[in-house]
Amino acid sequence: MEGPFAVKVLSQDILHKSDAGAVILGVETPDALRSAIVTIAQRPAVRRARVDGFLIEEMCAAGREIAIGAVRDRQFGMMLMVGLGGIFIEVLKDVSFRLCPITRQDALAMLAELRSAPLLDGIRGERALDKNSIVELLLKLGGEGGVLSSLDAEIAELDLNPVIVRERGATVVDARFVLAEDTRPRSILKKRPLDDLPVLKRFAALFAPKTVAVLGASTSSTTLANTFIRRLKEFGYKGAIYPIHPKAQEVEGLPCYPSLAQTPEVIDYAYIAIGARSIPEALRKANGRLRFAQVISSGFGEVAEGTALQQTLVEEAHAGGCRVLGPNCLGMYSPRGGVTFPAGASTIVGSVGVISQSGGLGTDIIKRGRWRGLRFSGLVTVGNSADLGPVDLLEFYLEDPQTRVIGLYLEDVKDGRTFFDLLRASRGRKPVVILRGGRSRQGRAAAASHTGAMAGDDRVWESVAKQTGCVLVQTIDQFIGVLLALQFLEPHQHPTQRVVLFGNGGGTSVLATDSFAECGLDVAPFDNKTLARLEALSLPPGTSVTNPIDAPVATLQEDEGRVANKIFDIVYESASPDAVVMHINLAAFVGRGGGDPIDNLIQAAVRVQKTNPGRAHFAVVLRVDGSPELDERKRRYRELALGVGIPVYDELVEAAEALSAVQCIEHYRINAAQSI
């Protein structure tokens, strides 16, 4: 061996040797080696530890340090990480994660998204490093058939740190594997009721039930179950409703039956709101005459003392031949089946399918979504997801021909791997939007590796989004706004980039331009040819046509708003935008005379879309000052635009966020097609 050497302690008690001062580099002579060992042995962390010995290694040729690691996420399985070493990973946390197994495209994307990536390409006279060797190492670890796949049960975490990358090749200088404590094979899932049916047939009875049973309705008071029966009737449910009551002859004008096994017909869907401890027996005694039970009652796994009862609930339900939604939820909304749990829900059958782990938030999504223009193929609240959960319903929505867009409010995906595999296999065929609760929860505080310390909850979901093309949002307003865009706008075969803004309000346009830029969209000035054609219209003074097109009230009122037809024709023919956003400040028209041009402005948008199908996404922003008069007018204009397939937003930043989500899906679909 030839120097220089690296000297480090060997101890099972010291995981991070550098942090403990237990590594000395660049040692040249035997005397220096002895001195290094003595120095390390005197470090406080080393003196407290059990020392097995000291490792002396020949140092490899100089290069750029990178770190590669992996850690097991409790929901999704192994995650792979890469980042440049030293300050970039220790201080700046400049790392990229992907769930395993990764593809070559994933590996390249991981390197590309590092802020320090330019260092690999060579800067200030440095030569480019061998990125392909990093990609190959990532694939050998985390690719299909790689180390992490073949030893999946045995490894909990690993760190390759540092890996020295040079102009040609890379050398792993240090590696540490943390073995899994439990390597027993996973238990085989028992066959459950309905499992042998294809997914569409399996859930047909849930989303379009011909018979509904209700447990918990009272003859003397108004319970949740009574309210549910009334809402079924009001909503126009056309099937049979069977109240289940041990003693009563009639509830809510309907004949009662003592148990689920004694109804005249097999029950497709049961709404259950009785005491928690009575439910498992009631489901077991259904004796194969019930398909789906939605347990509204609480007192199960959401509290520590109810954990065992929840397990019993599922076991007894399966023994009785049915599947369980919930417990601890609010119900289901299916316009196609005539079923609703909230009042005032739309009866229109739409194309947006939603899964919510919160009943209350599910109600908000239905009610607020209705006024915003969402039309649902279904919304199911799943609560504790003791049996059926987000994964099962996602599988249905992905196959359901009525559903074009899928939205999920999630707090905890128990079977994250299947969830991920379903999304990845669909290759973005249907847009998926995810609003996630609990984003601020701390990650693994006691992680044994650098990788584990940095792999917080957000990192996992960011990886899911990048690898499956789903869109992550942070608020319910964003959730509804993005679903609204995807309900109406068909993603292009090229990424949306160039946006034209047209409307009144100069300052608003300037702020909007910033918002669109922050969302990765360009509101760029028109070229000279387009400018010349717009200027030739000789619009009223104060009009700016550079993009944004800032049109004062007088301009928008010209020819009762029909001037927009001429503007849109030029924009579509000459500027070839990917998206057009028309924004109107309704308050600016109050007391200005000249008629109300809004109807004609919206009709201009409809006409240009019909004459240029599929060329540009179109959205409308209607801004008001909060007065009741303008709110009512805004509602009418919103319905007009929604009726012709144009999404409507309250502010320009919301339109920017929605178009950015559409762009995200377009990017993913293009990359997915190229990787086939």
Side-chain angles (χ1 to χ4, degrees), residues 3 89 99 145 181 230 257 262 335 395 427 456 458 466 546 613:
I89 189 170
L99 291 169
E181 293 182 3
R230 294 172 191 175
Y257 298 86
Q262 294 173 277
E395 184 183 9
R427 302 182 70 84
D458 280 340
K466 290 168 183 173
T546 58

Side-chain angles (χ1 to χ4, degrees), residues 273-409:
I274 60 177
R277 296 199 171 275
S278 303
I279 299 173
E281 182 181 11
L283 296 184
R284 179 174 54 81
K285 289 183 176 180
N287 295 331
R289 294 178 53 79
L290 171 63
R291 293 187 173 91
F292 292 96
Q294 185 143 34
V295 178
I296 311 304
S297 312
S298 57
F300 292 92
E302 75 279 3
V303 291
E305 57 269 25
T307 303
L309 182 61
Q310 180 163 296
Q311 181 62 34
T312 302
L313 168 71
V314 176
E315 292 171 355
E316 297 291 78
H318 289 181
C322 75
R323 302 301 300 274
V324 175
L325 292 158
N328 187 33
C329 56
L330 283 186
M332 179 188 68
Y333 166 55
S334 178
R336 72 181 99 176
V339 176
T340 184
F341 68 93
S346 171
T347 58
I348 299 172
V349 180
S351 60
V352 179
V354 175
I355 305 158
S356 176
Q357 287 189 276
S358 164
L361 203 65
T363 303
D364 286 345
I365 292 167
I366 293 169
K367 291 192 171 184
R368 293 170 66 172
R370 175 184 181 178
W371 296 118
R372 292 284 302 276
L374 284 185
R375 297 295 177 258
F376 298 89
S377 62
L379 184 149
V380 184
T381 67
V382 294
N384 297 358
S385 305
D387 182 19
L388 292 170
V391 171
D392 305 278
L393 293 163
L394 173 64
E395 184 183 9
F396 169 75
Y397 281 142
L398 286 170
E399 296 299 323
D400 177 31
Q402 184 61 48
T403 301
R404 290 182 58 248
V405 185
I406 302 168
L408 302 100
Y409 170 72

Side-chain angles (χ1 to χ4, degrees), residues 47-262:
R47 293 175 66 181
R48 291 193 300 268
R50 292 169 297 174
V51 175
D52 300 317
F54 292 84
L55 179 65
I56 301 170
E57 295 179 296
E58 197 174 344
M59 294 183 66
C60 72
R64 177 74 64 180
E65 286 189 14
I66 68 166
I68 296 175
V71 65
R72 183 179 302 280
D73 179 78
R74 73 176 176 84
Q75 295 184 86
F76 291 96
M78 294 304 296
M79 293 178 63
L80 191 65
M81 180 210 79
V82 67
L84 267 66
I87 189 174
F88 300 103
I89 189 170
E90 298 290 347
V91 178
L92 301 180
K93 307 290 191 263
D94 183 19
V95 294
S96 177
F97 281 88
R98 290 292 187 278
L99 291 169
C100 298
I102 65 165
T103 63
R104 181 172 293 274
Q105 189 176 34
D106 289 329
L108 291 167
M110 291 172 76
L111 294 179
E113 67 192 34
L114 296 174
R115 298 192 302 274
S116 50
L119 295 175
L120 299 174
D121 296 321
I123 59 172
R124 295 190 175 182
E126 293 185 5
R127 294 187 179 183
L129 301 177
D130 187 357
K131 287 199 292 187
N132 188 60
S133 67
I134 306 174
V135 170
E136 291 300 325
L137 184 52
L138 290 170
L139 290 172
K140 287 177 180 177
L141 284 171
E144 198 74 50
V147 171
L148 296 173
S149 296
S150 59
L151 300 176
D152 178 65
E154 284 79 17
I155 299 174
E157 300 181 31
L158 74 83
D159 271 325
L160 307 185
N161 185 18
V163 178
I164 306 298
V165 184
R166 297 178 292 276
E167 293 173 42
R168 294 188 64 182
T171 302
V172 179
V173 174
D174 196 0
R176 185 174 80 277
F177 290 77
V178 179
L179 300 181
E181 293 182 3
D182 185 359
T183 59
R184 292 173 297 177
R186 297 176 184 176
S187 60
I188 298 174
L189 190 65
K190 295 180 181 178
K191 188 176 179 180
R192 301 160 301 186
L194 309 178
D195 273 356
D196 55 343
L197 294 175
V199 66
L200 291 180
K201 288 186 178 181
R202 192 186 316 156
F203 285 98
L206 175 64
F207 285 89
K210 295 178 181 177
T211 52
V212 172
V214 182
L215 283 71
S218 171
T219 58
S220 58
S221 62
T222 299
T223 66
L224 275 175
N226 291 81
T227 301
F228 178 68
I229 293 174
R230 294 172 191 175
R231 287 177 182 170
L232 279 180
K233 293 178 177 179
E234 293 167 1
F235 199 63
Y237 176 67
K238 301 187 184 309
I241 305 172
Y242 297 114
I244 306 298
H245 197 288
K247 298 178 182 179
Q249 298 297 310
E250 181 180 289
V251 169
E252 297 291 336
L254 297 168
C256 291
Y257 298 86
S259 72
L260 288 163
Q262 294 173 277

